mmCIF file of all heavy atoms in Angstrom:
data_model
loop_
_atom_site.group_PDB
_atom_site.id
_atom_site.type_symbol
_atom_site.label_atom_id
_atom_site.label_comp_id
_atom_site.label_asym_id
_atom_site.label_seq_id
_atom_site.Cartn_x
_atom_site.Cartn_y
_atom_site.Cartn_z
ATOM 1 N N ARG A 9 -33.585 68.519 18.856
ATOM 2 C CA ARG A 9 -33.641 67.043 19.451
ATOM 3 C C ARG A 9 -33.788 66.176 18.251
ATOM 4 O O ARG A 9 -34.298 66.446 17.149
ATOM 5 C CB ARG A 9 -34.853 66.991 20.277
ATOM 6 C CG ARG A 9 -36.223 67.212 19.694
ATOM 7 C CD ARG A 9 -37.308 67.174 20.742
ATOM 8 N NE ARG A 9 -38.609 67.471 20.140
ATOM 9 C CZ ARG A 9 -39.682 67.679 20.779
ATOM 10 N NH1 ARG A 9 -39.654 67.655 22.077
ATOM 11 N NH2 ARG A 9 -40.935 67.895 20.171
ATOM 12 N N GLY A 10 -33.323 64.941 18.501
ATOM 13 C CA GLY A 10 -33.309 63.971 17.486
ATOM 14 C C GLY A 10 -33.149 62.568 18.143
ATOM 15 O O GLY A 10 -32.471 62.501 19.152
ATOM 16 N N SER A 11 -33.555 61.572 17.457
ATOM 17 C CA SER A 11 -33.254 60.073 17.855
ATOM 18 C C SER A 11 -33.303 59.233 16.691
ATOM 19 O O SER A 11 -33.955 59.474 15.657
ATOM 20 C CB SER A 11 -34.331 59.674 18.948
ATOM 21 O OG SER A 11 -35.601 59.613 18.369
ATOM 22 N N VAL A 12 -32.610 58.104 16.888
ATOM 23 C CA VAL A 12 -32.690 56.988 15.937
ATOM 24 C C VAL A 12 -32.559 55.618 16.614
ATOM 25 O O VAL A 12 -31.937 55.615 17.804
ATOM 26 C CB VAL A 12 -31.505 57.130 14.856
ATOM 27 C CG1 VAL A 12 -30.159 57.060 15.653
ATOM 28 C CG2 VAL A 12 -31.573 56.122 13.828
ATOM 29 N N GLY A 13 -33.279 54.734 16.217
ATOM 30 C CA GLY A 13 -33.277 53.389 16.838
ATOM 31 C C GLY A 13 -34.106 52.434 16.135
ATOM 32 O O GLY A 13 -34.525 52.572 15.022
ATOM 33 N N SER A 14 -34.006 51.130 16.774
ATOM 34 C CA SER A 14 -34.895 50.120 16.103
ATOM 35 C C SER A 14 -35.973 49.596 17.089
ATOM 36 O O SER A 14 -35.823 49.785 18.379
ATOM 37 C CB SER A 14 -33.866 48.972 15.561
ATOM 38 O OG SER A 14 -33.316 48.293 16.768
ATOM 39 N N THR A 15 -37.028 49.067 16.644
ATOM 40 C CA THR A 15 -38.091 48.522 17.331
ATOM 41 C C THR A 15 -38.374 47.155 16.851
ATOM 42 O O THR A 15 -38.001 46.774 15.705
ATOM 43 C CB THR A 15 -39.335 49.470 17.386
ATOM 44 O OG1 THR A 15 -39.878 49.455 16.019
ATOM 45 C CG2 THR A 15 -39.144 50.892 17.768
ATOM 46 N N PHE A 16 -39.144 46.421 17.815
ATOM 47 C CA PHE A 16 -39.478 45.159 17.465
ATOM 48 C C PHE A 16 -40.875 44.726 18.001
ATOM 49 O O PHE A 16 -41.263 45.291 19.041
ATOM 50 C CB PHE A 16 -38.422 44.146 18.169
ATOM 51 C CG PHE A 16 -38.743 42.753 18.311
ATOM 52 C CD1 PHE A 16 -38.252 41.755 17.275
ATOM 53 C CD2 PHE A 16 -39.432 42.232 19.344
ATOM 54 C CE1 PHE A 16 -38.452 40.474 17.382
ATOM 55 C CE2 PHE A 16 -39.794 40.859 19.415
ATOM 56 C CZ PHE A 16 -39.268 39.898 18.470
ATOM 57 N N ARG A 17 -41.637 43.976 17.211
ATOM 58 C CA ARG A 17 -42.973 43.512 17.756
ATOM 59 C C ARG A 17 -43.259 42.019 17.338
ATOM 60 O O ARG A 17 -43.265 41.796 16.116
ATOM 61 C CB ARG A 17 -44.150 44.562 17.220
ATOM 62 C CG ARG A 17 -45.568 44.188 17.648
ATOM 63 C CD ARG A 17 -46.520 45.121 17.247
ATOM 64 N NE ARG A 17 -46.912 45.179 15.814
ATOM 65 C CZ ARG A 17 -47.890 44.601 15.279
ATOM 66 N NH1 ARG A 17 -48.893 44.065 15.958
ATOM 67 N NH2 ARG A 17 -48.161 44.761 13.960
ATOM 68 N N GLY A 18 -43.382 41.301 18.337
ATOM 69 C CA GLY A 18 -43.636 39.864 18.059
ATOM 70 C C GLY A 18 -45.027 39.559 17.811
ATOM 71 O O GLY A 18 -45.969 40.331 18.234
ATOM 72 N N PRO A 19 -45.509 38.594 16.968
ATOM 73 C CA PRO A 19 -46.820 38.311 16.720
ATOM 74 C C PRO A 19 -47.584 37.895 17.956
ATOM 75 O O PRO A 19 -46.941 37.383 18.826
ATOM 76 C CB PRO A 19 -46.766 37.180 15.618
ATOM 77 C CG PRO A 19 -45.432 36.604 15.838
ATOM 78 C CD PRO A 19 -44.425 37.684 16.331
ATOM 79 N N ALA A 20 -48.874 38.133 17.996
ATOM 80 C CA ALA A 20 -49.639 37.745 19.083
ATOM 81 C C ALA A 20 -49.754 36.202 19.173
ATOM 82 O O ALA A 20 -49.625 35.544 17.950
ATOM 83 C CB ALA A 20 -51.033 38.253 19.069
ATOM 84 N N GLN A 21 -50.094 35.539 20.211
ATOM 85 C CA GLN A 21 -50.080 34.080 20.253
ATOM 86 C C GLN A 21 -51.155 33.531 19.287
ATOM 87 O O GLN A 21 -50.983 32.581 18.615
ATOM 88 C CB GLN A 21 -50.437 33.741 21.563
ATOM 89 C CG GLN A 21 -49.348 33.960 22.767
ATOM 90 C CD GLN A 21 -49.690 33.232 23.978
ATOM 91 O OE1 GLN A 21 -49.407 32.022 24.208
ATOM 92 N NE2 GLN A 21 -50.234 33.954 24.953
ATOM 93 N N THR A 22 -52.335 34.238 19.142
ATOM 94 C CA THR A 22 -53.324 33.788 18.330
ATOM 95 C C THR A 22 -53.083 33.850 16.767
ATOM 96 O O THR A 22 -53.626 33.303 16.092
ATOM 97 C CB THR A 22 -54.623 34.687 18.587
ATOM 98 O OG1 THR A 22 -54.400 36.008 18.486
ATOM 99 C CG2 THR A 22 -55.254 34.415 19.893
ATOM 100 N N GLN A 23 -51.970 34.727 16.581
ATOM 101 C CA GLN A 23 -51.592 34.807 15.076
ATOM 102 C C GLN A 23 -50.632 33.643 14.726
ATOM 103 O O GLN A 23 -50.286 33.551 13.538
ATOM 104 C CB GLN A 23 -50.750 36.139 14.926
ATOM 105 C CG GLN A 23 -51.798 37.344 14.944
ATOM 106 C CD GLN A 23 -51.012 38.577 14.845
ATOM 107 O OE1 GLN A 23 -49.881 38.813 15.361
ATOM 108 N NE2 GLN A 23 -51.574 39.503 13.997
ATOM 109 N N LEU A 24 -50.174 32.780 15.651
ATOM 110 C CA LEU A 24 -49.322 31.708 15.365
ATOM 111 C C LEU A 24 -50.007 30.454 15.343
ATOM 112 O O LEU A 24 -49.273 29.482 15.102
ATOM 113 C CB LEU A 24 -48.121 31.684 16.500
ATOM 114 C CG LEU A 24 -47.336 32.990 16.688
ATOM 115 C CD1 LEU A 24 -46.433 33.014 17.890
ATOM 116 C CD2 LEU A 24 -46.381 33.130 15.428
ATOM 117 N N VAL A 25 -51.257 30.268 15.575
ATOM 118 C CA VAL A 25 -51.843 28.992 15.591
ATOM 119 C C VAL A 25 -52.708 28.937 14.141
ATOM 120 O O VAL A 25 -53.239 29.906 13.749
ATOM 121 C CB VAL A 25 -52.759 28.840 16.751
ATOM 122 C CG1 VAL A 25 -51.942 28.603 18.030
ATOM 123 C CG2 VAL A 25 -53.729 29.946 16.797
ATOM 124 N N ASN A 26 -52.801 27.702 13.746
ATOM 125 C CA ASN A 26 -53.436 27.520 12.461
ATOM 126 C C ASN A 26 -54.976 27.288 12.604
ATOM 127 O O ASN A 26 -55.509 26.256 12.379
ATOM 128 C CB ASN A 26 -52.866 26.262 11.658
ATOM 129 C CG ASN A 26 -53.379 26.229 10.246
ATOM 130 O OD1 ASN A 26 -53.874 27.174 9.535
ATOM 131 N ND2 ASN A 26 -53.424 25.033 9.648
ATOM 132 N N SER A 27 -55.502 28.217 13.256
ATOM 133 C CA SER A 27 -57.017 28.200 13.645
ATOM 134 C C SER A 27 -57.661 29.539 13.167
ATOM 135 O O SER A 27 -57.134 30.659 13.483
ATOM 136 C CB SER A 27 -57.096 27.905 15.203
ATOM 137 O OG SER A 27 -58.582 27.887 15.521
ATOM 138 N N PRO A 28 -58.778 29.369 12.413
ATOM 139 C CA PRO A 28 -59.388 30.542 11.882
ATOM 140 C C PRO A 28 -60.123 31.448 12.794
ATOM 141 O O PRO A 28 -60.755 30.889 13.776
ATOM 142 C CB PRO A 28 -60.194 30.150 10.723
ATOM 143 C CG PRO A 28 -60.727 28.758 11.287
ATOM 144 C CD PRO A 28 -59.510 28.178 11.876
ATOM 145 N N THR A 29 -60.161 32.785 12.607
ATOM 146 C CA THR A 29 -61.058 33.640 13.099
ATOM 147 C C THR A 29 -62.023 34.099 11.972
ATOM 148 O O THR A 29 -61.483 34.629 10.962
ATOM 149 C CB THR A 29 -60.477 34.752 13.850
ATOM 150 O OG1 THR A 29 -59.660 34.297 14.965
ATOM 151 C CG2 THR A 29 -61.372 35.803 14.384
ATOM 152 N N THR A 30 -63.308 34.057 12.098
ATOM 153 C CA THR A 30 -64.165 34.532 10.987
ATOM 154 C C THR A 30 -64.675 35.944 11.206
ATOM 155 O O THR A 30 -65.116 36.287 12.384
ATOM 156 C CB THR A 30 -65.421 33.487 10.958
ATOM 157 O OG1 THR A 30 -64.906 32.191 10.759
ATOM 158 C CG2 THR A 30 -66.384 33.831 9.857
ATOM 159 N N GLY A 31 -64.634 36.610 10.099
ATOM 160 C CA GLY A 31 -65.163 38.005 10.022
ATOM 161 C C GLY A 31 -66.117 38.131 8.795
ATOM 162 O O GLY A 31 -65.887 37.388 7.897
ATOM 163 N N LEU A 32 -66.852 39.308 8.891
ATOM 164 C CA LEU A 32 -67.694 39.458 7.727
ATOM 165 C C LEU A 32 -67.330 40.842 7.225
ATOM 166 O O LEU A 32 -66.984 41.779 7.931
ATOM 167 C CB LEU A 32 -69.183 39.521 8.160
ATOM 168 C CG LEU A 32 -69.573 38.292 8.971
ATOM 169 C CD1 LEU A 32 -71.142 38.567 9.484
ATOM 170 C CD2 LEU A 32 -69.624 37.131 8.096
ATOM 171 N N ALA A 33 -67.351 40.936 5.919
ATOM 172 C CA ALA A 33 -66.950 42.291 5.217
ATOM 173 C C ALA A 33 -67.835 42.585 4.070
ATOM 174 O O ALA A 33 -68.100 41.611 3.167
ATOM 175 C CB ALA A 33 -65.477 42.238 4.833
ATOM 176 N N PHE A 34 -68.210 43.709 3.790
ATOM 177 C CA PHE A 34 -68.846 44.141 2.622
ATOM 178 C C PHE A 34 -67.930 43.867 1.383
ATOM 179 O O PHE A 34 -66.921 44.466 1.446
ATOM 180 C CB PHE A 34 -69.418 45.620 2.648
ATOM 181 C CG PHE A 34 -70.240 45.848 1.453
ATOM 182 C CD1 PHE A 34 -71.535 45.476 1.347
ATOM 183 C CD2 PHE A 34 -69.622 46.623 0.387
ATOM 184 C CE1 PHE A 34 -72.363 45.899 0.221
ATOM 185 C CE2 PHE A 34 -70.390 47.023 -0.759
ATOM 186 C CZ PHE A 34 -71.718 46.581 -0.803
ATOM 187 N N THR A 35 -68.468 43.236 0.316
ATOM 188 C CA THR A 35 -67.656 42.919 -0.689
ATOM 189 C C THR A 35 -68.328 43.568 -2.057
ATOM 190 O O THR A 35 -69.394 43.005 -2.355
ATOM 191 C CB THR A 35 -67.539 41.437 -0.909
ATOM 192 O OG1 THR A 35 -67.082 40.880 0.345
ATOM 193 C CG2 THR A 35 -66.640 41.028 -2.001
ATOM 194 N N PRO A 36 -67.710 44.654 -2.622
ATOM 195 C CA PRO A 36 -68.283 45.305 -3.694
ATOM 196 C C PRO A 36 -68.749 44.450 -4.896
ATOM 197 O O PRO A 36 -69.751 44.514 -5.450
ATOM 198 C CB PRO A 36 -67.334 46.395 -4.012
ATOM 199 C CG PRO A 36 -66.525 46.577 -2.757
ATOM 200 C CD PRO A 36 -66.497 45.354 -1.981
ATOM 201 N N ALA A 37 -67.728 43.469 -5.195
ATOM 202 C CA ALA A 37 -67.919 42.628 -6.350
ATOM 203 C C ALA A 37 -69.137 41.754 -6.158
ATOM 204 O O ALA A 37 -69.831 41.345 -7.159
ATOM 205 C CB ALA A 37 -66.653 41.722 -6.426
ATOM 206 N N ALA A 38 -69.489 41.326 -4.918
ATOM 207 C CA ALA A 38 -70.642 40.550 -4.611
ATOM 208 C C ALA A 38 -71.980 41.404 -4.337
ATOM 209 O O ALA A 38 -73.067 40.910 -4.221
ATOM 210 C CB ALA A 38 -70.421 39.642 -3.498
#
């Protein structure tokens, strides 16, 4: 069996607005 094709994924609505989402991450340098 085998297949070949193309796929597509549009960005989420929240990824298209210039509004931040804040997250926290451990930063080794700090």
